[in-house]
């Protein structure tokens, strides 16, 4: 793994949280994007070498809605950048980690992503992400 690419934070109200985090960081989000397949609206803030991703549920069936229902707002996942997502997925599978998707899927911010089940990672939802190369 190359670095912590971003930290995902589940929020109830993206517009309100965009204002809050813009004040916290002293700069606005550089992008907003919805990922229909995941049922989430996201925004991204750039902080030095890493990013903060805010996630709001688009509907009640969204994994983010379920997360907030169970655990409240807060840190939802940590995303690690990898050079070759398929190689890393098969390596981690071999190490006994449970992958939540068997093939990489298209995530926000021009990334291929794969999530690891938190029960195999000490309760932390882990995202692997790889930049989609043109
Ligand atoms: Zn993420």
């Amino acid at each position: 793994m190359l670095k912590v690419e971003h930290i995902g934070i589940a929020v109830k109200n993206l517009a309100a949280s965009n204002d809050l985090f813009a004040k916290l960081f002293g700069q606005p989000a550089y992008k907003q994007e919805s990922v229909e397949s995941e049922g989430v609206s996201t925004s991204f803030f750039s902080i030095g070498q890493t990013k903060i991703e805010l996630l709001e549920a688009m509907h009640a069936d969204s994994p983010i809605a379920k997360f907030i229902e169970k655990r409240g707002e807060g840190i939802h996942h940590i995303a690690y950048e990898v050079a070759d997502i398929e190689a890393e997925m098969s390596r981690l599978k071999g190490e006994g980690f449970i992958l939540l998707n068997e093939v990489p899927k298209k995530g926000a911010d021009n990334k291929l992503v794969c999530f690891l089940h938190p029960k195999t990672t000490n309760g932390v939802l882990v995202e692997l992400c790889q930049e989609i190369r043109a």
Side-chain angles (χ1 to χ4, degrees):
M1 295 190 194
L2 302 173
K3 66 170 188 180
V4 174
E5 212 280 336
H6 64 269
I7 295 170
I9 299 175
V11 304
K12 287 181 181 166
N13 181 320
L14 191 61
S17 296
N18 279 339
D19 289 347
L20 178 73
F21 280 83
K23 273 184 216 160
L24 178 66
F25 299 141
Q27 58 177 324
Y30 69 88
K31 96 149 67 162
Q32 288 202 53
E33 186 180 347
S34 294
V35 184
E36 297 282 342
S37 59
E38 298 292 308
V40 295
S41 301
T42 68
S43 63
F44 285 87
F45 294 81
S46 179
I47 305 298
Q49 293 286 302
T50 190
K51 298 167 188 165
I52 299 296
E53 173 186 29
L54 303 182
L55 304 121
E56 178 196 52
M58 293 170 78
H59 50 71
D61 292 335
S62 160
I64 295 299
K66 288 177 184 152
F67 177 88
I68 288 177
E69 211 171 277
K70 264 196 250 171
R71 298 171 66 168
E73 293 181 300
I75 293 181
H76 177 259
H77 65 270
I78 299 182
Y80 299 96
E81 185 176 346
V82 299
D84 180 341
I85 196 165
E86 283 173 4
E88 205 59 4
M89 285 167 69
S90 74
R91 183 182 74 82
L92 293 170
K93 206 172 163 179
E95 296 283 5
F97 293 97
I98 297 173
L99 308 181
L100 290 180
N101 47 295
E102 289 296 320
V103 289
K105 50 185 184 177
K106 174 99 173 57
D109 205 28
N110 194 41
K111 298 279 195 290
L112 288 174
V113 302
C114 175
F115 288 92
L116 305 187
H117 198 293
K119 80 178 176 195
T120 56
T121 51
N122 282 164
V124 178
L125 179 62
V126 169
E127 174 184 341
L128 307 176
C129 62
Q130 179 208 300
E131 188 89 25
I132 297 172
R133 301 167 191 112

mmCIF file of all heavy atoms in Angstrom, residues 73-109:
data_model
loop_
_atom_site.group_PDB
_atom_site.id
_atom_site.type_symbol
_atom_site.label_atom_id
_atom_site.label_comp_id
_atom_site.label_asym_id
_atom_site.label_seq_id
_atom_site.Cartn_x
_atom_site.Cartn_y
_atom_site.Cartn_z
ATOM 1 N N GLU A 73 -22.943 9.590 13.323
ATOM 2 C CA GLU A 73 -21.994 10.209 12.410
ATOM 3 C C GLU A 73 -20.571 9.939 12.889
ATOM 4 O O GLU A 73 -20.331 9.757 14.077
ATOM 5 C CB GLU A 73 -22.209 11.728 12.370
ATOM 6 C CG GLU A 73 -23.536 12.152 11.757
ATOM 7 C CD GLU A 73 -23.672 13.674 11.731
ATOM 8 O OE1 GLU A 73 -23.641 14.285 12.821
ATOM 9 O OE2 GLU A 73 -23.803 14.235 10.638
ATOM 10 N N GLY A 74 -19.628 9.973 11.953
ATOM 11 C CA GLY A 74 -18.231 9.816 12.361
ATOM 12 C C GLY A 74 -17.409 9.108 11.306
ATOM 13 O O GLY A 74 -17.866 8.932 10.165
ATOM 14 N N ILE A 75 -16.213 8.691 11.709
ATOM 15 C CA ILE A 75 -15.298 8.056 10.750
ATOM 16 C C ILE A 75 -15.917 6.754 10.242
ATOM 17 O O ILE A 75 -16.331 5.901 11.031
ATOM 18 C CB ILE A 75 -13.908 7.816 11.374
ATOM 19 C CG1 ILE A 75 -13.253 9.181 11.649
ATOM 20 C CG2 ILE A 75 -13.032 6.980 10.431
ATOM 21 C CD1 ILE A 75 -11.857 9.091 12.244
ATOM 22 N N HIS A 76 -15.998 6.629 8.932
ATOM 23 C CA HIS A 76 -16.655 5.494 8.294
ATOM 24 C C HIS A 76 -15.646 4.516 7.698
ATOM 25 O O HIS A 76 -15.799 3.312 7.809
ATOM 26 C CB HIS A 76 -17.605 6.022 7.208
ATOM 27 C CG HIS A 76 -18.288 4.949 6.423
ATOM 28 N ND1 HIS A 76 -17.870 4.585 5.163
ATOM 29 C CD2 HIS A 76 -19.344 4.160 6.721
ATOM 30 C CE1 HIS A 76 -18.660 3.617 4.722
ATOM 31 N NE2 HIS A 76 -19.555 3.331 5.641
ATOM 32 N N HIS A 77 -14.612 5.026 7.058
ATOM 33 C CA HIS A 77 -13.597 4.133 6.488
ATOM 34 C C HIS A 77 -12.265 4.857 6.307
ATOM 35 O O HIS A 77 -12.207 6.079 6.314
ATOM 36 C CB HIS A 77 -14.057 3.534 5.156
ATOM 37 C CG HIS A 77 -14.249 4.524 4.037
ATOM 38 N ND1 HIS A 77 -15.452 5.152 3.796
ATOM 39 C CD2 HIS A 77 -13.398 5.005 3.089
ATOM 40 C CE1 HIS A 77 -15.340 5.949 2.754
ATOM 41 N NE2 HIS A 77 -14.096 5.896 2.297
ATOM 42 N N ILE A 78 -11.219 4.062 6.154
ATOM 43 C CA ILE A 78 -9.899 4.583 5.806
ATOM 44 C C ILE A 78 -9.530 3.972 4.464
ATOM 45 O O ILE A 78 -9.660 2.758 4.266
ATOM 46 C CB ILE A 78 -8.848 4.238 6.884
ATOM 47 C CG1 ILE A 78 -9.273 4.879 8.207
ATOM 48 C CG2 ILE A 78 -7.453 4.740 6.466
ATOM 49 C CD1 ILE A 78 -8.309 4.649 9.346
ATOM 50 N N ALA A 79 -9.135 4.824 3.528
ATOM 51 C CA ALA A 79 -8.819 4.372 2.176
ATOM 52 C C ALA A 79 -7.317 4.431 1.946
ATOM 53 O O ALA A 79 -6.673 5.451 2.224
ATOM 54 C CB ALA A 79 -9.535 5.236 1.142
ATOM 55 N N TYR A 80 -6.787 3.316 1.449
ATOM 56 C CA TYR A 80 -5.357 3.224 1.149
ATOM 57 C C TYR A 80 -5.171 3.152 -0.350
ATOM 58 O O TYR A 80 -5.852 2.377 -1.040
ATOM 59 C CB TYR A 80 -4.771 1.961 1.792
ATOM 60 C CG TYR A 80 -4.907 1.972 3.294
ATOM 61 C CD1 TYR A 80 -5.982 1.330 3.912
ATOM 62 C CD2 TYR A 80 -3.991 2.649 4.092
ATOM 63 C CE1 TYR A 80 -6.125 1.358 5.291
ATOM 64 C CE2 TYR A 80 -4.129 2.682 5.476
ATOM 65 C CZ TYR A 80 -5.194 2.039 6.067
ATOM 66 O OH TYR A 80 -5.341 2.062 7.432
ATOM 67 N N GLU A 81 -4.261 3.958 -0.838
ATOM 68 C CA GLU A 81 -3.955 3.911 -2.266
ATOM 69 C C GLU A 81 -3.052 2.725 -2.556
ATOM 70 O O GLU A 81 -2.089 2.473 -1.818
ATOM 71 C CB GLU A 81 -3.251 5.206 -2.692
ATOM 72 C CG GLU A 81 -3.016 5.260 -4.190
ATOM 73 C CD GLU A 81 -2.406 6.583 -4.633
ATOM 74 O OE1 GLU A 81 -2.393 7.554 -3.860
ATOM 75 O OE2 GLU A 81 -1.949 6.610 -5.776
ATOM 76 N N VAL A 82 -3.365 2.008 -3.611
ATOM 77 C CA VAL A 82 -2.531 0.883 -4.050
ATOM 78 C C VAL A 82 -2.183 1.080 -5.523
ATOM 79 O O VAL A 82 -2.904 1.757 -6.265
ATOM 80 C CB VAL A 82 -3.251 -0.478 -3.849
ATOM 81 C CG1 VAL A 82 -3.569 -0.709 -2.371
ATOM 82 C CG2 VAL A 82 -4.534 -0.574 -4.674
ATOM 83 N N ALA A 83 -1.069 0.480 -5.924
ATOM 84 C CA ALA A 83 -0.619 0.640 -7.312
ATOM 85 C C ALA A 83 -1.408 -0.276 -8.247
ATOM 86 O O ALA A 83 -1.729 0.096 -9.374
ATOM 87 C CB ALA A 83 0.873 0.348 -7.412
ATOM 88 N N ASP A 84 -1.713 -1.484 -7.764
ATOM 89 C CA ASP A 84 -2.389 -2.479 -8.600
ATOM 90 C C ASP A 84 -3.477 -3.137 -7.743
ATOM 91 O O ASP A 84 -3.188 -4.031 -6.947
ATOM 92 C CB ASP A 84 -1.361 -3.514 -9.071
ATOM 93 C CG ASP A 84 -1.991 -4.598 -9.947
ATOM 94 O OD1 ASP A 84 -3.235 -4.770 -9.909
ATOM 95 O OD2 ASP A 84 -1.238 -5.284 -10.659
ATOM 96 N N ILE A 85 -4.700 -2.674 -7.909
ATOM 97 C CA ILE A 85 -5.768 -3.096 -6.994
ATOM 98 C C ILE A 85 -6.051 -4.590 -7.092
ATOM 99 O O ILE A 85 -6.294 -5.253 -6.087
ATOM 100 C CB ILE A 85 -7.047 -2.236 -7.177
ATOM 101 C CG1 ILE A 85 -7.989 -2.411 -5.968
ATOM 102 C CG2 ILE A 85 -7.752 -2.527 -8.489
ATOM 103 C CD1 ILE A 85 -9.085 -1.378 -5.855
ATOM 104 N N GLU A 86 -5.984 -5.151 -8.300
ATOM 105 C CA GLU A 86 -6.288 -6.578 -8.429
ATOM 106 C C GLU A 86 -5.233 -7.435 -7.742
ATOM 107 O O GLU A 86 -5.555 -8.417 -7.070
ATOM 108 C CB GLU A 86 -6.483 -6.953 -9.892
ATOM 109 C CG GLU A 86 -7.859 -6.483 -10.346
ATOM 110 C CD GLU A 86 -8.135 -6.635 -11.825
ATOM 111 O OE1 GLU A 86 -7.275 -7.186 -12.539
ATOM 112 O OE2 GLU A 86 -9.213 -6.185 -12.253
ATOM 113 N N ALA A 87 -3.981 -7.052 -7.889
ATOM 114 C CA ALA A 87 -2.895 -7.790 -7.224
ATOM 115 C C ALA A 87 -3.052 -7.689 -5.708
ATOM 116 O O ALA A 87 -2.884 -8.675 -4.983
ATOM 117 C CB ALA A 87 -1.537 -7.233 -7.655
ATOM 118 N N GLU A 88 -3.388 -6.501 -5.231
ATOM 119 C CA GLU A 88 -3.518 -6.288 -3.785
ATOM 120 C C GLU A 88 -4.733 -7.062 -3.243
ATOM 121 O O GLU A 88 -4.686 -7.642 -2.171
ATOM 122 C CB GLU A 88 -3.647 -4.788 -3.523
ATOM 123 C CG GLU A 88 -3.228 -4.323 -2.173
ATOM 124 C CD GLU A 88 -1.778 -4.607 -1.777
ATOM 125 O OE1 GLU A 88 -0.980 -5.141 -2.588
ATOM 126 O OE2 GLU A 88 -1.461 -4.311 -0.634
ATOM 127 N N MET A 89 -5.826 -7.097 -4.013
ATOM 128 C CA MET A 89 -7.014 -7.851 -3.599
ATOM 129 C C MET A 89 -6.681 -9.330 -3.466
ATOM 130 O O MET A 89 -7.090 -9.976 -2.494
ATOM 131 C CB MET A 89 -8.156 -7.647 -4.601
ATOM 132 C CG MET A 89 -8.821 -6.278 -4.483
ATOM 133 S SD MET A 89 -9.903 -5.883 -5.893
ATOM 134 C CE MET A 89 -11.247 -7.047 -5.659
ATOM 135 N N SER A 90 -5.937 -9.880 -4.426
ATOM 136 C CA SER A 90 -5.670 -11.317 -4.334
ATOM 137 C C SER A 90 -4.656 -11.586 -3.225
ATOM 138 O O SER A 90 -4.758 -12.594 -2.520
ATOM 139 C CB SER A 90 -5.269 -11.913 -5.688
ATOM 140 O OG SER A 90 -3.975 -11.552 -6.019
ATOM 141 N N ARG A 91 -3.706 -10.668 -3.002
ATOM 142 C CA ARG A 91 -2.770 -10.837 -1.892
ATOM 143 C C ARG A 91 -3.523 -10.866 -0.555
ATOM 144 O O ARG A 91 -3.307 -11.749 0.279
ATOM 145 C CB ARG A 91 -1.752 -9.691 -1.884
ATOM 146 C CG ARG A 91 -0.689 -9.837 -0.791
ATOM 147 C CD ARG A 91 0.281 -8.663 -0.755
ATOM 148 N NE ARG A 91 -0.289 -7.435 -0.202
ATOM 149 C CZ ARG A 91 -0.400 -7.173 1.105
ATOM 150 N NH1 ARG A 91 0.005 -8.055 2.000
ATOM 151 N NH2 ARG A 91 -0.919 -6.035 1.519
ATOM 152 N N LEU A 92 -4.441 -9.900 -0.365
ATOM 153 C CA LEU A 92 -5.145 -9.783 0.919
ATOM 154 C C LEU A 92 -6.108 -10.944 1.141
ATOM 155 O O LEU A 92 -6.276 -11.425 2.256
ATOM 156 C CB LEU A 92 -5.867 -8.435 0.995
ATOM 157 C CG LEU A 92 -4.901 -7.233 1.066
ATOM 158 C CD1 LEU A 92 -5.658 -5.927 0.889
ATOM 159 C CD2 LEU A 92 -4.121 -7.228 2.366
ATOM 160 N N LYS A 93 -6.729 -11.388 0.048
ATOM 161 C CA LYS A 93 -7.607 -12.554 0.135
ATOM 162 C C LYS A 93 -6.806 -13.766 0.608
ATOM 163 O O LYS A 93 -7.239 -14.510 1.488
ATOM 164 C CB LYS A 93 -8.210 -12.815 -1.248
ATOM 165 C CG LYS A 93 -9.530 -13.517 -1.211
ATOM 166 C CD LYS A 93 -10.141 -13.547 -2.597
ATOM 167 C CE LYS A 93 -11.226 -14.579 -2.656
ATOM 168 N NZ LYS A 93 -11.870 -14.618 -3.991
ATOM 169 N N GLY A 94 -5.617 -13.914 0.053
ATOM 170 C CA GLY A 94 -4.714 -14.996 0.451
ATOM 171 C C GLY A 94 -4.315 -14.904 1.917
ATOM 172 O O GLY A 94 -4.029 -15.915 2.563
ATOM 173 N N GLU A 95 -4.308 -13.689 2.458
ATOM 174 C CA GLU A 95 -3.960 -13.479 3.875
ATOM 175 C C GLU A 95 -5.167 -13.682 4.796
ATOM 176 O O GLU A 95 -5.066 -13.521 6.004
ATOM 177 C CB GLU A 95 -3.411 -12.060 4.092
ATOM 178 C CG GLU A 95 -2.108 -11.756 3.376
ATOM 179 C CD GLU A 95 -0.883 -12.368 4.067
ATOM 180 O OE1 GLU A 95 -1.037 -13.105 5.056
ATOM 181 O OE2 GLU A 95 0.237 -12.096 3.583
ATOM 182 N N GLY A 96 -6.336 -13.971 4.197
ATOM 183 C CA GLY A 96 -7.512 -14.275 5.014
ATOM 184 C C GLY A 96 -8.472 -13.117 5.226
ATOM 185 O O GLY A 96 -9.444 -13.243 5.972
ATOM 186 N N PHE A 97 -8.215 -11.983 4.589
ATOM 187 C CA PHE A 97 -9.155 -10.870 4.707
ATOM 188 C C PHE A 97 -10.389 -11.135 3.840
ATOM 189 O O PHE A 97 -10.280 -11.764 2.784
ATOM 190 C CB PHE A 97 -8.494 -9.552 4.266
ATOM 191 C CG PHE A 97 -7.390 -9.122 5.179
ATOM 192 C CD1 PHE A 97 -6.063 -9.413 4.867
ATOM 193 C CD2 PHE A 97 -7.664 -8.449 6.362
ATOM 194 C CE1 PHE A 97 -5.024 -9.034 5.717
ATOM 195 C CE2 PHE A 97 -6.634 -8.069 7.223
ATOM 196 C CZ PHE A 97 -5.315 -8.361 6.899
ATOM 197 N N ILE A 98 -11.535 -10.636 4.290
ATOM 198 C CA ILE A 98 -12.766 -10.813 3.519
ATOM 199 C C ILE A 98 -13.008 -9.575 2.667
ATOM 200 O O ILE A 98 -13.105 -8.455 3.192
ATOM 201 C CB ILE A 98 -13.964 -11.064 4.452
ATOM 202 C CG1 ILE A 98 -13.751 -12.369 5.220
ATOM 203 C CG2 ILE A 98 -15.275 -11.115 3.654
ATOM 204 C CD1 ILE A 98 -14.787 -12.634 6.300
ATOM 205 N N LEU A 99 -13.088 -9.787 1.366
ATOM 206 C CA LEU A 99 -13.355 -8.685 0.442
ATOM 207 C C LEU A 99 -14.859 -8.515 0.307
ATOM 208 O O LEU A 99 -15.594 -9.497 0.165
ATOM 209 C CB LEU A 99 -12.761 -8.976 -0.946
ATOM 210 C CG LEU A 99 -11.281 -9.382 -1.007
ATOM 211 C CD1 LEU A 99 -10.866 -9.594 -2.469
ATOM 212 C CD2 LEU A 99 -10.387 -8.343 -0.363
ATOM 213 N N LEU A 100 -15.332 -7.281 0.327
ATOM 214 C CA LEU A 100 -16.774 -7.040 0.179
ATOM 215 C C LEU A 100 -17.199 -7.020 -1.282
ATOM 216 O O LEU A 100 -18.372 -7.138 -1.591
ATOM 217 C CB LEU A 100 -17.179 -5.738 0.881
ATOM 218 C CG LEU A 100 -17.114 -5.797 2.416
ATOM 219 C CD1 LEU A 100 -17.520 -4.480 3.035
ATOM 220 C CD2 LEU A 100 -18.001 -6.915 2.949
ATOM 221 N N ASN A 101 -16.247 -6.808 -2.180
ATOM 222 C CA ASN A 101 -16.549 -6.997 -3.606
ATOM 223 C C ASN A 101 -15.403 -7.777 -4.244
ATOM 224 O O ASN A 101 -14.244 -7.531 -3.966
ATOM 225 C CB ASN A 101 -16.828 -5.672 -4.321
ATOM 226 C CG ASN A 101 -15.831 -4.557 -4.036
ATOM 227 O OD1 ASN A 101 -15.716 -4.074 -2.910
ATOM 228 N ND2 ASN A 101 -15.102 -4.158 -5.044
ATOM 229 N N GLU A 102 -15.793 -8.742 -5.080
ATOM 230 C CA GLU A 102 -14.804 -9.666 -5.648
ATOM 231 C C GLU A 102 -14.073 -9.086 -6.846
ATOM 232 O O GLU A 102 -12.997 -9.544 -7.211
ATOM 233 C CB GLU A 102 -15.491 -10.977 -6.060
ATOM 234 C CG GLU A 102 -15.927 -11.829 -4.874
ATOM 235 C CD GLU A 102 -14.748 -12.333 -4.016
ATOM 236 O OE1 GLU A 102 -13.703 -12.721 -4.579
ATOM 237 O OE2 GLU A 102 -14.879 -12.315 -2.778
ATOM 238 N N VAL A 103 -14.696 -8.080 -7.466
ATOM 239 C CA VAL A 103 -14.008 -7.371 -8.550
ATOM 240 C C VAL A 103 -14.000 -5.884 -8.185
ATOM 241 O O VAL A 103 -14.912 -5.401 -7.517
ATOM 242 C CB VAL A 103 -14.686 -7.579 -9.941
ATOM 243 C CG1 VAL A 103 -14.475 -8.989 -10.452
ATOM 244 C CG2 VAL A 103 -16.162 -7.272 -9.880
ATOM 245 N N PRO A 104 -12.955 -5.162 -8.612
ATOM 246 C CA PRO A 104 -12.907 -3.733 -8.287
ATOM 247 C C PRO A 104 -14.119 -3.024 -8.870
ATOM 248 O O PRO A 104 -14.594 -3.384 -9.942
ATOM 249 C CB PRO A 104 -11.633 -3.260 -9.002
ATOM 250 C CG PRO A 104 -10.840 -4.467 -9.302
ATOM 251 C CD PRO A 104 -11.811 -5.599 -9.438
ATOM 252 N N LYS A 105 -14.654 -2.050 -8.134
ATOM 253 C CA LYS A 105 -15.757 -1.290 -8.697
ATOM 254 C C LYS A 105 -15.408 0.182 -8.791
ATOM 255 O O LYS A 105 -14.447 0.640 -8.166
ATOM 256 C CB LYS A 105 -17.054 -1.518 -7.930
ATOM 257 C CG LYS A 105 -16.954 -1.358 -6.444
ATOM 258 C CD LYS A 105 -18.285 -1.743 -5.803
ATOM 259 C CE LYS A 105 -18.235 -1.488 -4.309
ATOM 260 N NZ LYS A 105 -19.496 -1.765 -3.638
ATOM 261 N N LYS A 106 -16.197 0.890 -9.572
ATOM 262 C CA LYS A 106 -15.928 2.303 -9.808
ATOM 263 C C LYS A 106 -16.405 3.094 -8.592
ATOM 264 O O LYS A 106 -17.570 3.039 -8.231
ATOM 265 C CB LYS A 106 -16.674 2.716 -11.072
ATOM 266 C CG LYS A 106 -16.631 4.186 -11.417
ATOM 267 C CD LYS A 106 -15.588 4.484 -12.473
ATOM 268 C CE LYS A 106 -15.667 5.946 -12.934
ATOM 269 N NZ LYS A 106 -15.515 6.939 -11.844
ATOM 270 N N GLY A 107 -15.489 3.797 -7.937
ATOM 271 C CA GLY A 107 -15.852 4.628 -6.797
ATOM 272 C C GLY A 107 -15.844 6.099 -7.180
ATOM 273 O O GLY A 107 -15.770 6.440 -8.361
ATOM 274 N N ALA A 108 -15.905 6.962 -6.166
ATOM 275 C CA ALA A 108 -15.855 8.398 -6.415
ATOM 276 C C ALA A 108 -14.428 8.805 -6.755
ATOM 277 O O ALA A 108 -13.486 8.038 -6.560
ATOM 278 C CB ALA A 108 -16.337 9.149 -5.173
ATOM 279 N N ASP A 109 -14.263 9.992 -7.289
ATOM 280 C CA ASP A 109 -12.953 10.619 -7.480
ATOM 281 C C ASP A 109 -12.045 9.837 -8.427
ATOM 282 O O ASP A 109 -10.832 9.750 -8.221
ATOM 283 C CB ASP A 109 -12.277 10.798 -6.093
ATOM 284 C CG ASP A 109 -11.250 11.921 -6.084
ATOM 285 O OD1 ASP A 109 -11.402 12.872 -6.872
ATOM 286 O OD2 ASP A 109 -10.294 11.839 -5.288
#
